[in-house]
Amino acid sequence: EISCSLVGSEMCIRDSTYLLYFAIIFLERYDDMKNKNTVIITEEMINSDPYGYTYKEICDCVGEKKARALMHALYKEKPQKKYQTMSIDDIYNGGDTRKYSFKLKDGYCIETVCIKRKTGVTVCVSTMVGCPVGCIFCASGSNGFIRNLTPSEIVQQVTLLKEKVNRIVYMGMGEPFFNYDNVIKSIHILRDRNGLNFPTDGINISTVGPLEQLKKIREEHLKIQLTLSLHATNQRTRDIIIPHMKGYDINKIVESVLSYSERHNRKVTIAYLLIPGLNDKAADVRQLGRWFREKNVLINLLQYNDTANCNINRPNKQQLVAFKLRLEAAGLEVKMRESRGNNIKAACGQLVSNTNKKNKQISSKFTDSNLRKPSKNKNKQNSNKFNSQQKQNSARNKKHNTSHS
């Protein structure tokens, strides 16, 4: 027991041991609060951007009655402008594919794609304005990285659609895991039972595989589907295709993805964009077999969709089928992804907004310390390096075929 007495306005504590003990406890809890970056949510914050909060966060702030009424208005009724922080700027129709252009409050635009399938509607959402990764086959990074999307801006790409969706893929503009916290928060909001109540099984994140974030997602209590954009079987080739991921070891990335699969008992997808003369050699087939044979893995073969970034040889269907058969012979499960939305520039790798080029602020910088922002000269060097490599491989293959004939 602590015996205390008041002397004037001061509290005298007779046992200094207890004082030291309570001081240590206080400091530990203070450090915990700092580490969690605790933010006090106010009613004003919720009213200004309600799509950015879970039911629990809203309930803790305004009470159960108001929280239930607000969640019903957000997710069960027709979208109301007073709750929105973005608007539909344009809609492009392409048969079974529809592309939405959303205008954000700061004037930037993002693109979102809806694809109608036999099993329902899939929405492909963006996570950034622009992209810092710089894949040579993708137009999303042509204006560089501008900023991350907020959880609310990600969620509204689903709630403001005219279609009812049953599958959400984080495969639009941006690298989801370089906006990790906001992406994970958006998933918690989407799957909130008092809101949209979207099933986690229907959510898929596609990533180029930053290692720190792969380790974090492994420990999350979210059994989402995971897709790794791999596109190569060795470091040199991957550095050409995804030049701004040079600091990340390809073998460690594959190891981390397989670890996620085992931890959550989930089949992971490996996205592999076939580029004739660059990543279609016998050595590539052997390495893919070593990594993924008898693993819970699906190889998804992709075909390049035309962009203005660089001149890539687009494989024809015969080449895709031939490579697929070689992979299956190596003991792998393989599927060829059908490309949709080419007629409205909505296919994989084609999402970009020209509006962002006009509005881009010179001071915008990507803050991730592990990622170097590319310069135009570096992009040109990477493109030239890729074109040279592709020509050399094509010439080598041609010479090889001639000698055999």
Side-chain angles (χ1 to χ4, degrees), residues 101-112:
S101 176
F102 287 105
K103 190 169 186 178
L104 310 178
K105 267 191 169 182
D106 54 10
Y108 290 116
C109 287
I110 55 170
E111 294 186 334
T112 305

Side-chain angles (χ1 to χ4, degrees), residues 4-151:
C4 302
S5 62
L6 286 173
V7 179
S9 61
E10 297 180 353
M11 176 76 77
C12 296
I13 302 177
R14 294 175 181 173
D15 196 329
S16 59
T17 304
Y18 280 104
L19 178 61
L20 179 62
Y21 171 77
F22 286 119
I24 292 170
I25 293 297
F26 172 78
L27 288 172
E28 285 178 350
R29 290 182 180 176
Y30 178 70
D31 285 340
D32 287 341
M33 288 177 68
K34 283 201 302 181
N35 293 334
K36 290 179 181 177
N37 294 319
T38 306
V39 176
I40 299 174
I41 299 170
T42 65
E43 188 169 358
E44 184 181 357
M45 292 165 62
I46 292 170
N47 290 335
S48 65
D49 192 10
Y51 283 107
Y53 302 96
T54 62
Y55 170 76
K56 185 180 184 305
E57 288 173 327
I58 298 172
C59 189
D60 288 346
C61 182
V62 301
E64 185 178 346
K65 187 177 180 180
K66 284 186 178 180
R68 288 194 180 278
L70 181 57
M71 294 296 277
H72 189 275
L74 294 174
Y75 301 104
K76 308 298 181 185
E77 298 175 4
K78 188 177 178 180
Q80 300 178 46
K81 285 187 177 181
K82 65 179 180 178
Y83 297 129
Q84 299 169 22
T85 59
M86 53 196 270
S87 60
I88 297 174
D89 189 50
D90 209 342
I91 300 176
Y92 305 87
N93 290 305
D96 58 1
T97 305
R98 179 180 282 176
K99 181 170 73 172
Y100 288 79
S101 176
F102 287 105
K103 190 169 186 178
L104 310 178
K105 267 191 169 182
D106 54 10
Y108 290 116
C109 287
I110 55 170
E111 294 186 334
T112 305
V113 178
C114 276
I115 306 166
K116 292 180 182 178
R117 303 182 183 275
K118 291 180 181 178
T119 55
V121 177
T122 298
V123 59
C124 178
V125 299
S126 295
T127 56
M128 294 177 170
V129 182
C131 183
V133 175
C135 299
I136 59 170
F137 56 82
C138 183
S140 295
S142 59
N143 296 324
F145 171 81
I146 297 174
R147 72 169 177 87
N148 287 326
L149 295 185
T150 65

Side-chain angles (χ1 to χ4, degrees), residues 135-325:
C135 299
I136 59 170
F137 56 82
C138 183
S140 295
S142 59
N143 296 324
F145 171 81
I146 297 174
R147 72 169 177 87
N148 287 326
L149 295 185
T150 65
S152 173
E153 289 167 336
I154 298 171
V155 170
Q156 287 176 79
Q157 290 177 70
V158 179
T159 60
L160 302 187
L161 299 174
K162 298 183 183 296
E163 298 86 352
K164 184 178 180 180
V165 303
N166 65 342
R167 190 164 175 256
I168 301 171
V169 294
Y170 286 71
M171 298 183 184
M173 297 165 62
E175 163 51 47
F177 280 174
F178 282 134
N179 187 15
Y180 187 88
D181 291 340
N182 288 350
V183 164
I184 297 302
K185 177 70 180 291
S186 72
I187 293 173
H188 282 297
I189 295 168
L190 289 165
R191 67 194 289 266
D192 197 311
R193 291 181 181 179
N194 292 282
L196 201 60
N197 195 23
F198 202 90
T200 311
D201 277 349
I203 297 175
N204 190 321
I205 295 182
S206 178
T207 177
V208 293
L211 288 168
E212 183 183 344
Q213 289 84 342
L214 283 176
K215 290 176 183 177
K216 286 173 73 174
I217 195 67
R218 183 186 182 276
E219 303 308 317
E220 297 278 358
H221 296 290
L222 289 171
K223 291 187 177 182
I224 56 167
Q225 309 295 334
L226 189 64
T227 296
L228 172 65
S229 291
L230 185 62
H231 311 307
T233 62
N234 60 75
Q235 196 67 48
R236 183 168 178 266
T237 303
R238 196 167 198 253
D239 289 347
I240 293 171
I241 298 173
I242 315 176
H244 307 142
M245 286 295 288
K246 286 185 179 179
Y248 298 91
D249 185 276
I250 188 171
N251 292 295
K252 290 181 179 178
I253 290 171
V254 169
E255 183 183 336
S256 293
V257 168
L258 291 176
S259 178
Y260 175 87
S261 174
E262 293 170 7
R263 169 84 164 77
H264 295 282
N265 192 26
R266 292 276 172 181
K267 176 173 285 189
V268 294
T269 300
I270 304 298
Y272 199 88
L273 184 106
L274 191 67
I275 306 176
L278 187 64
N279 63 359
D280 63 342
K281 297 183 284 296
D284 296 311
V285 175
R286 287 194 298 270
Q287 185 58 51
L288 288 169
R290 280 193 287 267
W291 276 336
F292 304 122
R293 189 185 297 113
E294 297 180 357
K295 301 292 184 181
N296 199 10
V297 168
L298 170 69
I299 308 290
N300 215 339
L301 276 185
L302 312 180
Q303 194 173 27
Y304 171 66
N305 298 303
D306 292 336
T307 68
N309 278 14
C310 71
N311 298 317
I312 296 177
N313 290 332
R314 189 174 193 235
N316 56 41
K317 192 170 182 181
Q318 187 178 358
Q319 289 172 309
L320 281 171
V321 171
F323 193 71
K324 177 177 182 286
L325 292 174

